[in-house]
Amino acid sequence: MSTLPGRDHTSSSTPSLDGKGGTDPDAKVGKSTKRTGPSYVYYRLYTKLGALESNHPLYNNDRFIGRIPSKLFAPPHTVASIKRSLCKLEDLSEPDKALVFTPISSLAPKEDSTRLSLYAPFGPGLSEQDPIALVVESEKRSEEVSQSETLPECPDDTNIHYVYYRVYSSEGKGEIKAKTSFDENDISLGRINTLLIAPPHTAGSLKTCIAKVEGLVTPGHASYKDKELFQDMTSDTAMSDTDDISFQGDTYPGSEEGDPVALVNATTNTAVDQKAELTPDGPYSNFTKRARLTLTLGYETNKPTWLSINKDEIVHTDGVIVSVRSPTTNDFWPGYMVINSKGEKGFVQQCVVEFI
């Protein structure tokens, strides 16, 4: 396994005391380590394709980070036990196949026998800056992700680390518009938050995350092997899927707008691909009801929960009515969680859904 620029080869013999990689300036010998208030476990969920929304989100506008009281985790607090508890609380199956990474930047998962302290003042999973990363086999749930009306908004974070990228079509049409475009003068330039990329962080997991966000074919598809990810626009050879990437520093592939990574030979999912994803063994096996959308509406400011839609677009849903708040109006609207033809999942209002 080779290493790409940005991988930190150094390690410190001093353990992190503040959950952020630093030391606690107030720590003193003999000082009590007991918490004086409620204790919580913070975590992020992933499949191999990327981030997964939590059933117990911490913020309304960042539903990928969850928080659960430590008292809900039965002892002993081993990795195996914590996996079972998290999967049960998140309504996720096959906890024995799940992997735990602490910190998220770790290249290898923790052994099941490893013990994690859930009541210490500091440590893995005890702050939102140092959450546990749980990677599961499937995002399939028997119930939809809950929508709470009492969650706070995540404060603006100027320290977000992005990966900037461009996507090039396999049909020879050159660069194509990025679904995460943020500059109206350069719509082919996209970016993703590095926290959306599933660990372990490799060129392969970055490529897979971009493919998922862009609605392209993903691992297991016959055309996936043809997609190549280049470290920058001047690279002569593509990166290997096993190349390690660290997103902890300021310099890594795609860290600069002017020096993005490039995904080449991108292939879009076809109707046949979507049908395959909705089989009984697929991640959306309960999304079996077909529906036609009756309006074209854009919800750019309401992402990621609300889905931008097109008139006459065919979607799949489980048919369960949910009530979701609009971030722009603060009103709650009845509707459905759906999967569109690009594999994107999101909320649409009930009034625009026509079952077929």
Side-chain angles (χ1 to χ4, degrees), residues 179 211-216 268-269 274 277 310 313-314 339-345:
K179 288 184 172 57
K212 178 187 179 183
V213 169
E214 290 293 326
L216 305 172
T268 304
N269 283 338
Q274 291 303 311
E277 289 184 4
N310 297 303
E313 184 177 7
I314 302 300
I339 305 291
N340 65 15
S341 59
K342 297 176 182 177
E344 299 169 329
K345 181 181 178 182

Side-chain angles (χ1 to χ4, degrees), residues 298-315:
Y299 292 106
E300 296 302 318
T301 58
N302 290 0
K303 287 185 175 180
T305 303
W306 289 56
L307 193 66
S308 294
I309 60 176
N310 297 303
K311 184 178 180 180
D312 295 326
E313 184 177 7
I314 302 300
V315 298

Side-chain angles (χ1 to χ4, degrees), residues 67-179:
R67 185 180 75 168
I68 294 176
S70 300
K71 65 182 181 181
L72 297 184
F73 292 82
H77 295 150
T78 61
V79 166
S81 175
I82 291 171
K83 287 194 302 186
R84 288 193 296 270
S85 295
L86 281 177
C87 285
K88 180 178 180 180
L89 292 165
E90 285 286 345
D91 193 30
L92 294 165
S93 60
E94 301 182 295
D96 292 341
K97 294 183 180 180
L99 301 175
V100 164
F101 291 83
T102 59
I104 291 179
S105 59
S106 298
L107 293 178
K110 292 292 185 183
E111 295 289 338
D112 281 355
S113 59
T114 302
R115 295 183 63 86
L116 299 180
S117 177
L118 303 187
Y119 288 91
F122 308 100
L126 301 183
S127 73
E128 62 178 289
Q129 291 78 28
D130 187 20
I132 293 171
L134 180 71
V135 183
V136 296
E137 285 288 307
S138 171
E139 65 180 69
K140 179 182 176 182
R141 286 177 163 122
S142 60
E143 297 180 3
E144 271 303 317
V145 174
S146 61
Q147 305 289 341
S148 173
E149 55 186 278
T150 60
L151 293 177
E153 298 291 313
C154 180
D156 292 336
D157 188 350
T158 57
N159 295 318
I160 295 177
H161 287 190
Y162 289 107
V163 173
Y164 297 88
Y165 66 91
R166 296 187 189 277
V167 177
Y168 293 84
S169 170
S170 59
E171 286 80 23
K173 298 179 181 178
E175 60 181 355
I176 58 180
K177 180 180 178 179
K179 288 184 172 57

